[in-house]
Amino acid sequence: MPLVAGIDSSTQSCKVVVRDAETGALVRQGRAPHPEGTEVDPDAWWAALRAAVAGAGGLADVAAVAVGGQQHGMVCLDEAGQVVRPALLWNDTRSADAARELIEEAGGGEAGRRFWADATGAVPVASFTATKLRWLARHEPANADRVAAVCLPHDWLTWRLAGAPGLAALRTDRGDASGTGYWSPRTGEYRLDLLERAFGRRLRVPVVLGPAEVAGHLDPVALGGGPGGSGAGDRVLLGPGTGDNAAAALGAGAGPGDVVVSIGTSGTVFAVADSPAADPTGAVAGFADATGRFLPLVCTLNAARVLDAAATLLGVDLTRLSELALAAPPGADGLVMVPYLEGERTPDRPTATGALHGLTLGTSTPAHLARAAVEGMLCALADGLDALTAQGARADRIILVGGGARSAAVRRIAPQVFGRPVVVPPPGEYVADGAARQAAWVALGGAAPPTWSPGDTEEYASPGVPAIRERYALARDRVVDRVRG
Ligand SMILES: Nc1ncnc2c1ncn2[C@@H]1O[C@H](COP(=O)(O)OP(=O)(O)O)[C@@H](O)[C@H]1O
Ligand SMILES: O=C(CO)[C@@H](O)[C@H](O)COP(=O)(O)O
């Protein structure tokens, strides 16, 4: 019974699962929080990973481990492998002007967007690593001068697990490479000319591995002694890892015809596809997946935290928020929340703020506000679903995952907003599970990852309520920008 471990180093926390490689049965798990903020010292991820591994009983008995991580984050290393400055995360919007510049420099407008979509599968937005490199070059030239290599959160953590054995040992995978803005899912090759265009010079980048290739071995001393340490670490295989959405697709067992809607810190809507996407509108990012296929994806910056914010506004916990939302009628009698609390990426409104429309004496109740928060967050994702299907994705089945899917209100209101049923797998850590399934593939070999039972899914069906989205569409663009300073 070989065991494998999967690690999810996502925005808000690090989660570790240890599973049976052949059956997928959960053996043990651990978790630890990440610091707040859109700029984070990678050492904080490492500390959280160590704590989560210790909570999961260590890695001494596993055959392989793989890391799924939040996408796009810019981790800059100097020649000695030291981190140059705190990482800028996917939800840090300071590089929005850099994204606009890169599109302008490629011809601007439709031509500029098409250039990037054709070259890299996606139109630059502030989330992507290439725009963060441009920001660094412009705003922190002394730091920029020190950078020798750039990698992503999961690449860096895999490298740390290997003992940080020099920059030449950095490894990544197709899924995460496809979110950098300087790798082409269509050709499977880096576009270092585009990295140079963004940053001003070329940098060392991780080697891109195939889906089940070995990235190295766990360094026996990397996790230290004690309960988190690995006793027999020198033979523990490291998988290539991947971005958290590609890992979630693997963990949820998504296949052709499935659309996954993930409600975590980000809201994502994505499909597993056989051919690469290139959407010049920029709504759909044509990423690669973790199995050798593709992962067209729409991402919003505002998802589970909209619910957190609504609960804070109302002074209730998330369970009560859900009860309140379900106590108001569909459409909340016309109260609409536009949920751009962090600015927004899809649509591209990096400096937008949120808004409440439709306040009357009748809608000024906690239940209406709770319902408007759930519906507004889901409407933004429904727009994403439309964009995905407009690019040719099939949506035979919608699978709802992520922390926000633990909300009964989200599960029950989603079919009313999406206009179709949703399938909800048992509550779990699908990113960590996907990383574990990749680790099992690395450990067991074969042409495809092992088939693991998905557990009992629940289907939520309810007639669609088109008025919810119609009203949201009237409100969506009526927001003001953030006040600077
Ligand atoms: N019962 C619940 N109802 C609503 N939201 C929830 C519930 N449980 C967890 N969450 C939310 O899920 C989010 C974390 O989701 P997760 O997918 O782990 O995020 P990430 O992977 O981005 O770190 C938090 O914002 C948390 O408030
Ligand atoms: O930027 C994207 C996808 O393009 C985000 O989905 C990040 O990958 C962060 O994910 P979570 O922490 O929300 O899971």
Side-chain angles (χ1 to χ4, degrees):
M1 183 187 82
L3 298 179
V4 288
I7 296 173
D8 170 14
S9 178
S10 282
T11 315
Q12 294 190 52
S13 61
C14 183
K15 304 132 190 179
V16 176
V17 298
V18 175
R19 288 187 176 268
D20 181 303
E22 274 150 21
T23 66
L26 181 65
V27 177
R28 47 185 207 261
Q29 58 187 322
R31 66 185 297 145
H34 282 162
E36 286 287 330
T38 61
E39 163 172 315
V40 171
D41 182 346
D43 276 333
W45 299 329
W46 180 244
L49 184 148
R50 288 180 54 145
V53 164
L59 300 180
D61 53 352
V62 306
V65 55
V67 183
Q70 53 178 309
Q71 294 182 247
H72 315 303
M74 178 183 70
V75 180
C76 291
L77 304 177
D78 68 13
E79 208 51 73
Q82 296 301 310
V83 171
V84 169
R85 77 175 313 289
L88 297 186
L89 307 195
W90 63 280
N91 53 354
D92 189 292
T93 54
R94 76 186 73 178
S95 56
D97 288 342
R100 270 192 292 276
E101 278 172 29
L102 290 171
I103 295 167
E104 278 306 309
E105 290 165 15
E110 163 78 19
R113 290 196 300 273
R114 186 168 289 284
F115 168 84
W116 283 98
D118 288 345
T120 67
V123 178
V125 285
S127 294
F128 296 171
T129 327
T131 72
K132 298 178 190 304
L133 284 170
R134 166 62 67 90
W135 179 90
L136 186 70
R138 290 271 191 276
H139 294 268
E140 296 183 355
N143 279 337
D145 281 350
R146 290 177 49 216
V147 180
V150 61
C151 63
L152 299 168
H154 111 256
D155 312 342
W156 184 78
L157 288 168
T158 306
W159 182 73
R160 288 295 306 260
L161 286 168
L167 298 182
L170 283 165
R171 297 289 180 270
T172 192
D173 84 305
R174 294 171 66 251
D176 232 3
S178 65
T180 57
Y182 43 83
W183 188 82
S184 166
R186 190 170 47 79
T187 64
E189 287 171 355
Y190 274 114
R191 290 290 309 262
L192 293 182
D193 57 321
L194 298 180
L195 189 157
E196 183 174 3
R197 186 187 285 200
F199 188 62
R201 64 186 167 92
R202 297 194 180 200
L203 293 170
R204 188 189 282 274
V205 288
V207 173
V208 181
L209 298 178
E213 277 190 77
V214 175
H217 294 88
L218 180 64
D219 175 10
V221 296
L223 294 169
S230 161
D234 56 343
R235 294 323 307 158
V236 177
L237 298 168
L238 292 173
T242 191
D244 55 3
N245 291 293
L250 207 49
D258 291 332
V259 166
V260 178
V261 175
S262 169
I263 302 176
T265 315
S266 64
T268 53
V269 185
F270 52 91
V272 176
D274 287 322
S275 52
D279 174 12
T281 73
V284 177
F287 296 149
D289 85 341
T291 69
R293 289 188 280 194
F294 301 91
L295 199 82
L297 177 146
V298 177
C299 178
T300 67
L301 296 189
N302 298 285
R305 277 176 167 165
V306 175
L307 308 184
D308 295 338
T312 302
L313 273 174
L314 292 169
V316 298
D317 64 15
L318 291 167
T319 305
R320 182 67 189 139
L321 183 83
S322 172
E323 289 165 1
L324 284 168
L326 291 170
D333 292 320
L335 188 68
V336 176
M337 181 185 285
V338 185
Y340 300 161
L341 309 188
E342 290 258 72
E344 194 39 277
R345 161 167 159 189
T346 320
D348 187 15
R349 298 287 310 265
T351 55
T353 55
L356 263 183
H357 295 275
L359 273 171
T360 63
L361 287 178
T363 59
S364 300
T365 76
H368 284 85
L369 179 61
R371 179 120 201 162
V374 174
E375 288 182 349
M377 188 263 297
L378 288 169
C379 280
L381 292 170
D383 287 349
L385 181 58
D386 286 351
L388 200 64
T389 51
Q391 284 294 307
R394 265 170 45 211
D396 303 341
R397 192 168 70 133
I398 297 178
I399 306 173
L400 207 58
V401 297
R406 295 178 194 256
S407 157
V410 167
R411 296 194 298 269
R412 287 177 53 192
I413 296 172
Q416 297 175 349
V417 175
F418 295 153
R420 42 186 127 188
V422 298
V423 167
V424 186
E429 297 302 340
Y430 287 91
V431 176
D433 290 347
R437 191 160 170 234
Q438 185 196 66
W441 193 4
V442 171
L444 301 175
T451 305
W452 286 356
S453 159
D456 291 334
T457 58
E458 284 182 4
E459 182 171 298
Y460 289 78
S462 181
V465 183
I468 302 175
R469 292 193 63 197
E470 286 161 15
R471 183 96 176 151
Y472 179 80
L474 289 178
R476 186 175 40 211
D477 298 327
R478 298 179 183 216
V479 295
V480 295
D481 284 316
R482 199 172 281 267
V483 178
R484 288 185 189 271

